């Protein structure tokens, strides 16, 4: 059956579009979740939508599972190969098809890296405001499929808010496209939202029309040290009241994380003289004489005792140095050892209490080696890393305990990384049986053969 499938795919795809060597197939087996993917039967990377559609029809007819892949930076295992599947990579469908500066839109192929989109928008005085640490490799298709969040959600919202149109190849090979630039369109159901955040289970996204914004002219960043998470919330409220939409990021770092990246490893350098109970990295878009306004505002917080210490970046390199402390989360794996990377969403006002309760639960648990907590606290999203002795039983116990706590707090098991394969069995901790059933019914309707990314999400 395999040789028959390959023969049929070879008649549609060029040798550059169909990778068959064991070495190449292994290269595409996994994403960055730490989950080991199976060896796929083949890697399909069609350069055109027509070729993709034909290849999908061949796989569907043969009942062969397909796993869509973008930049493989996913952290939930959604892009990992399952047994007897082919990988469908958007790698060769890359590039910007059109920028309409008047409509402030960009039409882009799914395999285009996020950073390429950001830079192209800036050349027109515009901005694509979705931004994540993996910007150099993550693709537009992948960010749409996962409804990526990131560091500017506070001001601009998630990826969903920036997509005007989509083209998708369905699991039976049909191509459905609505690539208009309409901001207002109430003609029936807005079907694109079914595919945004669907993690590749309903089809392969091939093109998108993105809504751009006027570029932010200048930004300033500040690192603020406060007593605890409640004090951080007080700062957040004050910043929102004073700067409204000009607050672009409000990131939080707990002492376990700060200590690890600044003191226990050389991943980042602390810009502060002493240690504190909680650290905030806040970024503001500047307009007019905002710079002085911002310094006065911070001076007042220091005087009121809400902020204990603070550093304002005076140049781009100082801004980058402050961000380096926050983005060091992407480099902790080797030093921190075996761990679970929880991506939890809790109501912002409860996040601090949730983390304290989580710490208490884990403190008494055998096999736990440490925690690192960092996140988009303005959005109520914490990346809660729990180190453990490399043992499946311990890891399962940790997941049981933390996800049960998430349920008690009415939170979500994933705020932005998605469910993928790693969190699928925990979905019921934040979604009711009726919701999960409805997801399954939609999956069965669009993919009755269960061949598009089986085992991911539901
Ligand atoms: C250092 C680092 C920092 C990160 N920071 C953030 C962050 O701040 N916020 C955040 O949300 N995420 C973050 N991530 C996670 C990851 O970058 C995002 O999930 C990203 O959107 C994945 O894009 P990708 O192209 O790599 O997709 P992949 O990893 O290839 O795939 C992810 C999922 O999307 C599906 N998929 C991919 N392309 C398509 C397509 N064209 N059509 C249909 N389905 C598709 C896959 O099947 C899979 O289920 C981070 C990851 C790293 C490594």
């Amino acid at each position: 059956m395999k040789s028959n499938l390959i023969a049929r795919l070879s008649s549609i795809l060029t040798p550059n579009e169909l990778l068959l060597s064991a070495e190449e197939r292994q290269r595409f087996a996994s994403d960055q979740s730490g989950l080991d993917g199976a060896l796929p039967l083949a890697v399909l990377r069609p350069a055109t939508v027509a070729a993709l559609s034909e290849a999908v029809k061949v796989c569907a007819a043969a009942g062969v599972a397909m796993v869509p892949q973008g930049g493989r930076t996913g952290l939930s295992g959604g892009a990992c190969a399952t047994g007897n599947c082919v990988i469908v990579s958007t790698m060769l469908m890359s590039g910007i098809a059109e920028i309409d500066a008047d409509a402030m839109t960009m039409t882009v192929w799914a395999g285009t890296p996020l950073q390429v989109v950001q830079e192209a928008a800036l050349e027109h005085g515009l901005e694509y405001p979705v931004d994540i640490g993996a910007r150099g490799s993550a693709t537009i298709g992948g960010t749409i499929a996962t409804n990526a969040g990131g560091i500017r959600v506070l001001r601009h919202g998630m990826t969903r808010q920036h997509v005007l149109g989509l083209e998708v190849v369905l699991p039976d090979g049909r191509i459905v496209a609505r690539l208009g630039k309409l901001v207002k369109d109430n003609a029936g159901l807005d079907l694109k939202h079914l595919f945004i955040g669907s993690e590749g289970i309903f089809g392969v996204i091939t093109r998108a029309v993105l809504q751009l914004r006027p570029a932010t002219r200048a930004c300033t960043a500040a690192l603020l040290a406060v007593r605890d998470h409640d004090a951080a919330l007080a700062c957040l409220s004050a910043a929102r009241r004073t700067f409204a939409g000009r607050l672009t990021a409000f990131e939080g770092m707990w002492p376990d994380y700060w200590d690890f990246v600044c003191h226990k490893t050389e991943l980042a350098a602390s810009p502060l003289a002493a240690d504190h109970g909680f650290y905030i990295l806040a970024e503001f878009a500047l307009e007019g004489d905002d710079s002085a306004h911002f310094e006065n505002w911070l001076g007042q917080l220091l005087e009121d005792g809400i902020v204990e210490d603070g550093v304002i970046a005076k140049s781009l390199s100082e801004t980058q140095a402050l961000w380096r402390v926050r983005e060091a989360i992407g480099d902790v794996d080797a030093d921190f050892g075996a761990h679970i990377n929880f991506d939890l969403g809790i109501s912002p006002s409860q996040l601090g209490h949730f983390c304290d309760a989580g710490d208490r639960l884990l403190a008494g648990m055998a096999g736990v080696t440490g925690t690192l907590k960092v996140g988009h606290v303005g959005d109520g999203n914490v990346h809660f890393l729990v180190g453990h002795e490399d043992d499946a039983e311990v890891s399962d116990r940790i997941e049981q305990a933390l996800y049960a706590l998430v349920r008690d707090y009415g939170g979500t098991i994933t705020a932005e990384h998605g469910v993928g394969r790693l969190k699928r069995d925990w979905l019921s901790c934040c979604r009711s049986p009726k919701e999960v059933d409805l997801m399954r019914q939609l999956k069965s309707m669009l993919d009755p053969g269960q061949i598009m990314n089986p085992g991911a999400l539901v």
Side-chain angles (χ1 to χ4, degrees):
M1 179 262 229
K2 187 189 164 190
S3 56
N4 196 13
L5 173 80
I6 301 299
R8 296 188 62 191
L9 289 172
S10 302
S11 69
I12 297 165
L13 303 171
T14 66
N16 187 38
E17 293 176 310
L18 180 62
L19 306 180
L20 297 171
S21 77
E23 197 189 348
E24 283 167 323
R25 287 184 285 142
Q26 189 58 52
R27 193 157 62 87
F28 287 81
S30 305
D31 55 21
Q32 292 206 25
S33 60
L35 191 71
D36 285 330
L39 188 67
L41 299 173
V43 177
L44 284 50
R45 40 176 204 176
T48 66
V49 181
L52 171 63
S53 162
E54 289 309 309
V56 167
K57 282 179 193 163
V58 166
C59 294
V64 170
M66 294 165 267
V67 175
Q69 250 186 23
R72 300 200 307 280
T73 67
L75 297 172
S76 299
C80 286
T82 59
N84 282 326
C85 79
V86 296
I87 293 292
V88 180
S89 166
T90 55
M91 203 172 199
L92 299 185
M93 284 191 215
S94 180
I96 290 155
E98 189 213 22
I99 295 182
D100 182 337
D102 294 327
M104 294 201 295
T105 62
M106 184 187 294
T107 306
V108 61
W109 291 97
T112 314
L114 172 61
Q115 191 168 346
V116 170
V117 167
Q118 292 171 335
E119 288 172 359
L122 279 178
E123 282 172 21
H124 290 76
L126 298 169
E127 179 176 71
Y128 182 60
V130 175
D131 195 17
I132 62 177
R135 62 183 77 77
S137 309
T139 61
I140 281 301
T143 55
I144 293 172
T146 56
N147 187 27
I151 51 189
R152 307 233 150 70
V153 169
L154 191 68
R155 185 181 193 202
H156 297 288
M158 306 277 281
T159 296
R160 188 181 295 284
Q161 268 84 49
H162 311 292
V163 179
L164 290 178
L166 278 188
E167 176 182 71
V168 182
V169 174
L170 298 179
D172 61 7
R174 274 179 300 161
I175 303 166
V176 180
R178 184 150 182 83
L179 289 166
K181 301 171 186 172
L182 304 179
V183 175
K184 299 177 80 171
D185 180 5
N186 271 347
L189 300 181
D190 197 344
L191 294 173
K192 65 176 180 280
H193 288 297
L194 200 53
F195 298 95
I196 302 171
S198 65
E199 301 185 44
I201 67 167
F202 294 148
V204 185
I205 296 164
T206 49
R207 252 188 303 178
V209 182
L210 308 175
Q211 176 74 73
L212 307 176
R213 313 255 172 248
T216 306
R217 288 212 195 110
C219 268
T220 191
L223 191 96
L224 313 176
V226 294
R227 191 184 59 249
D228 55 19
H229 187 270
D230 282 348
L233 281 185
C235 280
L236 175 61
S237 301
R240 279 184 160 143
R241 276 196 303 272
T242 312
F243 298 101
R246 282 171 293 151
L247 177 64
T248 53
F250 197 86
E251 303 286 296
M253 292 163 272
W254 275 256
D256 52 6
Y257 172 79
W258 185 271
D259 191 40
F260 188 79
V261 300
C262 294
H263 302 319
K264 290 194 177 136
T265 63
E266 293 179 355
L267 292 172
S270 169
L272 301 172
D275 290 337
H276 297 265
F278 199 86
Y279 305 87
I280 301 160
L281 179 54
E283 193 179 83
F284 301 81
L286 293 175
E287 283 168 17
D289 62 353
D290 262 357
S291 208
H293 188 190
F294 177 61
E295 284 177 26
N296 293 341
W297 172 78
L298 184 54
Q300 190 61 53
L301 289 181
L302 279 160
E303 210 174 299
D304 294 346
I306 297 174
V307 170
E308 294 174 345
D309 196 2
V311 174
I312 299 178
K314 296 276 186 247
S315 63
L316 184 60
S317 64
E318 284 184 23
T319 301
Q320 286 167 341
L322 294 187
W323 273 106
R324 176 73 204 131
V325 192
R326 166 64 183 86
E327 294 200 330
I329 184 69
D331 302 317
V332 298
D333 287 9
D335 294 300
F336 194 50
H339 65 272
I340 308 172
N341 183 352
F342 291 95
D343 162 42
L344 308 174
I346 303 290
S347 148
S349 58
Q350 290 301 308
L351 185 64
H353 303 293
F354 170 87
C355 287
D356 291 346
D359 281 341
R360 280 195 299 275
L361 261 182
L362 297 165
M365 199 178 280
V368 172
T369 54
T371 58
L372 303 179
K373 298 184 293 302
V374 58
H376 315 291
V377 297
D379 312 325
N381 179 192
V382 63
H383 299 308
F384 199 135
L385 276 59
V386 185
H388 58 83
E389 288 161 6
D390 206 352
D391 177 317
E393 191 268 324
V394 175
S395 143
D396 189 55
R397 225 169 342 110
I398 296 168
E399 286 183 312
Q400 303 253 14
L402 263 194
Y403 285 138
L405 194 63
V406 167
R407 185 172 43 214
D408 293 348
Y409 274 77
T412 174
I413 61 162
T414 172
E416 58 177 16
H417 295 163
V419 176
R421 292 186 168 75
L422 284 182
K423 297 167 205 161
R424 185 196 55 205
D425 295 341
W426 303 102
L427 196 54
S428 61
C429 291
C430 61
R431 295 304 189 106
S432 68
K434 282 181 188 154
E435 286 178 288
V436 176
D437 252 13
L438 195 52
M439 290 184 208
R440 290 205 178 112
Q441 281 171 24
L442 284 168
K443 171 72 176 161
S444 295
M445 190 188 77
L446 280 163
D447 182 16
Q450 306 285 328
I451 50 169
M452 192 56 80
N453 215 359
L457 209 159
V458 280

